[in-house]
Amino acid sequence: MKLHEYQSKQIFARFGIPIPAGDVAEMPTEARRIAERIGGRVVVKSQVLVGGRGKAGGILLADNPDQTEKVATRILGMNIKGLKVRKVLVDQAVDIAQEIYLGLVIDRSAQRVVMIASAAGGMEIEEVARATPEKIVRAVIDPFLGLQIFQARGLAFGIGLDKTLWSGFVSIARSLYQAFVACDASLAEINPLALTDKGQLLAVDAKIVLDDNALFRHPDLAVLRDVDEEDVYERQAREHRLSYVRLDGDIGCMVNGAGLAMATMDLIKLYGGAPANFLDIGGGAQADRVAVALRIILSDQNVKAVLINIFGGITRCDEVARGILAAFAEVKADVPMVVRLVGTNEVEGRRILAEAKMITATSLAEAAQKAVVAASSK
Ligand code: GDP
Ligand code: MN
């Protein structure tokens, strides 16, 4: 779950990271009042859960409260990468001498949290990593020791920071790590960490992504979820407890069990296709959940074929087959459906589906091949 910049900044501030004075507004008049309170120049920033807001025109400077109201009127309601701006953050503007990147991510292969720093801040770190990897320095953090001072100093040295700024940088780095761990985050990022013309380090942007699997431990953070910003189908999936991740291929997958879903995706790739999603409908496979899952899969315009791979254990295959038919009658789609049902009553299940003109398969390899053919001939 992604947090907004203003929410992330509030968390960072609690852990002692310096942030600009500012507040969030939903109305231009509110934005004006915040600017009056701050005094001087402000920056009005759209609060949407995508990066690159600056380039999209969602970040504008304003010299006075009048102008702030005008600028906020312009930004509120704006559409940025498909998301409607409903809130703006009004922050004290600062004069930036240098933009630094500082972030924490989980490196799964190292099985550690890794802190990343770069003197080339402001832009997307993925871009920096691609074009100029030598500009990125990393520190791998031992979970029992936490981020050590020497490591943070090493990063300060690595990005060529002036020595007078090291202690400030070390304290921000340590606070960032504490915030990351305390929230069970999967990402915490300050980009840019601005070095102001007055020689102060300030988190001008903030981003936290929380680990959904740990949200149950953080009811105070769970309520920060902004449902207006969520993909409507990912939200439906979450509400029906379906694990759904949209991908960029063209074969929709409906599978019960995460491991089976992964294997299904692998086989689609093996036979030259590309999965449009990961979807685990979990145990039971009741008709209503099958219908929801099918609707979610078909909402993706890229889907040219659907592969349903269900293992009938507790739920019998004939029941699953009837569930699929009921769902299909309700959703109505003209994409080919390849179904592989195995387990209890599988013969009966396949018979029901074949009568309904669905493509059936017995082995997973056969199902994957048929789905790839169906998708490419569409
Ligand atoms: P993003 O584009 O969504 O990552 O939004 P950011 O908050 O990182 O802002 C993008 C850019 O706007 C920053 O890299 C800065 O160059 C600029 N910016 C943001 N806040 C200020 C500010 O207070 N003063 C100045 N001069 N520039 C700012
Ligand atoms: Mn940024």
Side-chain angles (χ1 to χ4, degrees):
M1 172 179 139
K2 291 181 189 167
L3 296 185
H4 279 295
E5 174 189 9
Y6 77 93
Q7 297 168 327
S8 306
K9 275 182 172 160
Q10 283 163 9
I11 292 172
F12 285 170
R14 248 186 274 144
F15 285 85
I17 296 174
I19 59 164
D23 207 348
V24 70
E26 290 181 30
M27 305 280 288
T29 47
E30 276 177 81
R32 179 201 185 87
R33 278 197 293 277
I34 298 166
E36 281 166 357
R37 231 171 21 239
I38 293 172
R41 222 156 60 107
V42 296
V43 51
V44 182
K45 311 179 77 176
S46 53
Q47 298 298 290
V48 280
L49 297 175
V50 287
R53 296 165 301 165
K55 271 190 214 148
I59 298 179
L60 296 170
L61 289 160
D63 288 324
N64 51 52
D66 261 352
Q67 218 185 341
T68 305
E69 190 173 334
K70 282 203 194 88
V71 162
T73 308
R74 182 128 50 100
I75 295 179
L76 284 163
M78 192 184 257
N79 192 305
I80 298 182
K81 297 184 185 171
L83 293 172
K84 191 175 165 200
V85 181
R86 293 163 201 270
K87 294 190 190 91
V88 289
L89 174 64
V90 181
D91 263 359
Q92 179 162 40
V94 288
D95 291 318
I96 303 175
Q98 194 200 340
E99 301 196 8
I100 295 163
Y101 176 93
L102 186 65
L104 285 163
V105 290
I106 294 168
D107 182 334
R108 288 172 199 280
S109 54
Q111 301 180 9
R112 293 281 189 276
V113 174
V114 174
M115 182 167 268
I116 297 169
S118 174
M123 54 185 130
E124 269 183 54
I125 196 68
E126 291 85 359
E127 195 43 52
V128 180
R130 215 167 9 247
T132 48
E134 71 281 359
K135 285 191 185 155
I136 290 180
V137 284
R138 296 156 40 100
V140 178
I141 302 169
D142 184 299
F144 293 107
L145 302 176
L147 177 71
Q148 298 292 287
I149 291 174
F150 80 88
Q151 292 183 295
R153 290 169 71 91
L155 293 175
F157 174 79
I159 61 170
L161 204 63
D162 191 88
K163 262 211 151 152
T164 57
L165 297 166
W166 282 21
S167 74
F169 179 86
V170 169
S171 131
I172 290 172
R174 305 244 299 168
S175 297
L176 187 62
Y177 180 70
Q178 280 163 10
F180 181 94
V181 173
C183 298
D184 283 315
S186 59
L187 178 127
E189 191 178 80
I190 307 174
N191 188 25
L193 173 63
L195 173 59
T196 68
D197 58 342
K198 298 189 180 67
Q200 195 201 358
L201 288 171
L202 202 58
V204 160
D205 193 8
K207 180 173 174 185
I208 296 178
V209 180
L210 300 171
D211 181 346
D212 287 347
N213 292 319
L215 269 182
F216 74 98
R217 307 206 288 197
H218 304 283
D220 54 326
L221 298 176
V223 298
L224 298 179
R225 186 187 295 277
D226 186 347
V227 288
D228 292 331
E229 295 269 316
E230 270 183 309
D231 177 276
V232 32
Y233 296 106
E234 290 190 0
R235 176 164 83 229
Q236 279 185 15
R238 186 168 49 75
E239 284 166 2
H240 289 87
R241 300 194 184 190
L242 304 164
S243 311
Y244 171 72
V245 181
R246 189 170 281 205
L247 303 167
D248 49 17
D250 58 7
I251 299 177
C253 304
M254 188 191 319
V255 189
N256 64 340
L260 192 57
M262 300 292 267
T264 305
M265 290 161 62
D266 280 349
L267 276 190
I268 288 173
K269 290 214 139 188
L270 181 69
Y271 290 110
N277 64 276
F278 169 94
L279 194 154
D280 172 12
I281 59 170
Q286 305 97 323
D288 57 332
R289 300 183 74 208
V290 171
V292 173
L294 198 59
R295 218 181 298 130
I296 291 171
I297 290 172
L298 294 174
S299 72
D300 181 349
Q301 301 299 317
N302 294 331
V303 168
K304 296 210 189 84
V306 176
L307 171 47
I308 300 175
N309 185 19
I310 304 278
F311 177 79
I314 298 167
T315 317
R316 301 190 322 261
C317 288
D318 55 320
E319 258 178 63
V320 175
R322 285 191 194 95
I324 292 171
L325 287 192
F328 206 47
E330 187 194 320
V331 179
K332 289 190 185 63
D334 60 350
V335 299
M337 313 273 283
V338 180
V339 187
R340 174 190 178 235
L341 278 179
V342 283
T344 317
N345 279 7
E346 60 178 69
V347 177
E348 173 68 1
R350 271 199 295 277
R351 192 191 57 75
I352 293 171
L353 292 175
E355 269 175 21
K357 299 207 168 49
M358 294 200 177
I359 306 164
T360 59
T362 44
S363 77
L364 178 46
E366 184 195 349
Q369 275 169 297
K370 284 182 170 171
V372 171
V373 170
S376 58
S377 58
K378 224 342 214 173

